[in-house]
Amino acid sequence: QPSTQTKYAAAADKLLHSSIWNHNKLTINTSQVSRQLLEQFPELASASVTIPLVAHRPIIYIQPAQAAVILINNSGAYVLDTSGRTLLAATNAASLQLPPLPIINDQSGLKLQPGRQALPAADIGFIQTVVAQLAAKHITVSLMTLPAAASELDVHLSGQPFFAKFNLKNNDALQQVGTLLATMAQL
């Protein structure tokens, strides 16, 4: 199986040779090649093509997207990046050797397709903050759910008979986690 770098290089080479206009420095459509790379590889955050002044070969810079969470619903399990965009099916992510990612069960009926926006970036940041703050206090999250109710995140804590409801509309994850921790300390 070819390496990821080889796969991107082969795809870029194919795109560059797909049009007679891409054979000349003056007529190459660098933005189209970049856009086609991003369409072909949704796991990329950015791709840009530059034409050096002296050299004959274009230089392609790619930036992989940073995986943030795994979202599971009726359409399958997908990896989302920090901007909330669906990168790829979680089954395809096994070969990427990603670090353990928070898993969220979606009951809200999101339509998940690779390369398409699934959640707002603010929601992904909120979820990451909640998980990080709880982990810092050695509290393990057993399950997270996006219920059918709008803008809500339900977090089930290991060893607790209750779950916490977080309001995603209020972009104050630190305050909401602080309130949860204070309530748990009081109980």
Side-chain angles (χ1 to χ4, degrees):
Q1 182 172 2
S3 73
T4 304
Q5 185 176 1
T6 305
K7 177 176 70 170
Y8 295 143
D13 191 51
K14 184 177 179 182
L15 289 172
L16 288 170
H17 287 91
S18 67
S19 171
I20 190 78
W21 299 107
N22 290 341
H23 294 235
N24 186 317
K25 281 185 178 184
L26 299 175
T27 59
I28 188 171
N29 188 343
T30 57
S31 62
Q32 180 183 16
V33 173
S34 297
R35 190 178 64 255
Q36 289 173 328
L37 279 171
L38 292 173
E39 287 172 2
Q40 188 173 351
F41 301 105
E43 70 271 16
L44 295 178
S46 66
S48 63
V49 179
T50 59
I51 307 299
L53 190 58
V54 179
H56 295 288
R57 294 187 54 102
I59 298 173
I60 299 176
Y61 298 96
I62 58 172
Q63 176 68 40
Q66 184 180 358
V69 299
I70 295 175
L71 192 66
I72 300 172
N73 71 7
N74 293 338
S75 57
Y78 291 88
V79 177
L80 274 58
D81 70 2
T82 53
S83 70
R85 190 171 53 97
T86 306
L87 297 178
L88 64 158
T91 54
N92 297 340
S95 64
L96 298 178
Q97 299 174 348
L98 298 173
L101 298 173
I103 297 174
I104 304 164
N105 290 320
D106 171 43
Q107 297 173 346
S108 65
L110 294 172
K111 304 289 185 228
L112 302 176
Q113 285 184 312
R116 304 283 185 222
Q117 195 72 26
L119 288 173
D123 287 0
I124 297 294
F126 188 101
I127 292 165
Q128 288 180 311
T129 300
V130 167
V131 171
Q133 291 298 310
L134 292 173
K137 296 294 182 181
H138 306 289
I139 298 172
T140 307
V141 174
S142 62
L143 175 68
M144 287 190 289
T145 304
L146 290 173
S151 299
E152 185 178 309
L153 174 69
D154 294 346
V155 178
H156 298 260
L157 308 173
S158 295
Q160 298 296 334
F162 59 86
F163 65 92
K165 289 186 176 194
F166 290 91
N167 184 347
L168 293 170
K169 283 267 191 224
N170 295 343
N171 200 6
D172 58 354
L174 289 173
Q175 183 178 1
Q176 291 185 50
V177 170
T179 302
L180 171 64
L181 293 173
T183 303
M184 288 174 65
Q186 195 71 313
L187 294 176

